[in-house]
């Protein structure tokens, strides 16, 4: 199978390579990045997460892809910023099987619009290449930055899909779900590049 790659104005979304993992976990397994994702991951959690991301690509043709920066603003091209992409929701008792968009970027990439740019590209791919009718995104109530981006993408809170979970925010005790349909996305947001 050919390696997946999709470009936006400033980013490349692509399949994982073996040498990506050490850099990804070095930059993205920090207290700040993992604050609303259950905290800094141990070795077993890292191995499990890496395996799942590779498996999604094989099973569905999409995953949370590597998010790599092109040369911009003095930055070097090829710099791994984190991930963004699509998977099938798989956390019990959540909305199992629904297409889910998600992102995780290293802290020094926050505030530059990279997450939004990558998420727009991922949603375009979800509704175009992968034929989704609806896409969800999942976060916790206290992660204002995450659900704020979901709202800026045009997603709406689907309270009926919220579900109890202490995996990501033990104090909060639930995950919240935002969603957007093909009908709401395509007329207003679809584009080949962000």
């Amino acid at each position: 199978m050919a390696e997946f790659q999709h470009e936006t104005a400033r980013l490349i979304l692509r399949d994982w390579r073996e040498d990506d993992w050490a850099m990804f976990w070095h930059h993205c397994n920090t207290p700040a990045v993992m604050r609303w994702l259950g905290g800094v991951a141990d070795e077993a959690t890292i191995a499990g997460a890496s395996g799942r991301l590779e498996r999604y690509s094989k099973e569905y043709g999409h995953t949370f892809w590597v998010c790599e920066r092109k040369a911009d603003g003095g930055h070097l091209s090829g710099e791994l910023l984190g991930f963004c992409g699509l998977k099938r929701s798989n956390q019990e008792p959540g909305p199992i099987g629904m297409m889910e968009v998600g992102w995780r970027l290293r802290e020094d990439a926050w505030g530059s619009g990279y997450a939004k740019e990558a998420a727009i590209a991922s949603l375009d791919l979800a509704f175009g290449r992968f034929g989704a009718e609806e896409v969800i995104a999942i976060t916790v109530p206290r992660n204002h930055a995450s659900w704020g981006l979901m709202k800026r993408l045009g997603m709406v809170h689907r309270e009926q899909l919220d579900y109890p979970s202490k995996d990501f925010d033990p104090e909060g005790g639930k995950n919240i779900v935002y969603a957007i349909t093909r009908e709401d996305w395509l007329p207003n947001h679809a584009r080949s590049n962000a």
Side-chain angles (χ1 to χ4, degrees):
M1 180 167 57
E3 181 179 283
F4 172 87
Q5 182 168 306
H6 180 81
E7 296 190 21
T8 71
R10 299 181 297 166
L11 303 171
I12 297 171
L13 300 177
R14 63 167 175 80
D15 282 334
W16 291 86
R17 300 172 189 146
E18 190 58 40
D19 59 354
D20 293 326
W21 294 112
M23 184 66 67
F24 172 77
W25 290 110
H26 172 75
H27 287 294
C28 293
N29 192 30
T30 65
V33 173
M34 298 299 289
R35 179 178 181 189
W36 304 118
L37 297 166
V40 173
D42 61 21
E43 289 300 318
T45 303
I46 287 171
S50 300
R52 283 190 300 277
L53 291 175
E54 290 178 334
R55 190 174 68 248
Y56 300 150
S57 186
K58 290 176 186 156
E59 291 178 1
Y60 304 114
H62 54 75
T63 189
F64 288 166
W65 299 291
V66 169
C67 183
E68 186 178 280
R69 179 168 38 207
K70 296 179 182 178
D72 88 88
H75 297 290
L76 297 176
S77 63
E79 193 169 14
L80 192 152
L81 300 181
F83 69 52
C84 186
L86 307 165
K87 73 176 189 72
R88 297 294 175 160
S89 178
N90 59 354
Q91 187 187 28
E92 298 283 356
I96 303 298
M98 292 186 76
M99 189 171 286
E100 176 186 344
V101 64
W103 50 86
R104 183 183 309 176
L105 299 184
R106 54 198 260 184
E107 192 175 0
D108 64 357
W110 295 356
S112 298
Y114 293 125
K116 183 177 181 185
E117 185 173 330
I120 287 170
S122 296
L123 286 165
D124 280 346
L125 288 161
F127 293 118
R129 180 171 180 168
F130 298 108
E133 294 299 321
E134 183 175 28
V135 178
I136 62 169
I138 301 171
T139 191
V140 297
R142 296 195 295 167
N143 189 347
H144 299 273
S146 185
W147 58 255
L149 176 52
M150 294 170 193
K151 289 173 73 171
R152 289 191 302 279
L153 292 167
M155 304 182 93
V156 295
H157 187 191
R158 293 273 304 277
E159 292 182 41
Q160 71 274 26
L161 296 178
D162 292 352
Y163 59 98
S165 174
K166 293 188 178 290
D167 291 348
F168 304 117
D169 180 11
E171 292 178 32
K174 76 171 181 175
N175 289 348
I176 59 174
V177 181
Y178 278 70
I180 191 163
T181 64
R182 168 188 290 275
E183 290 75 21
D184 288 335
W185 178 259
L186 290 179
N188 300 311
H189 300 282
R191 61 201 77 167
S192 59
N193 288 313

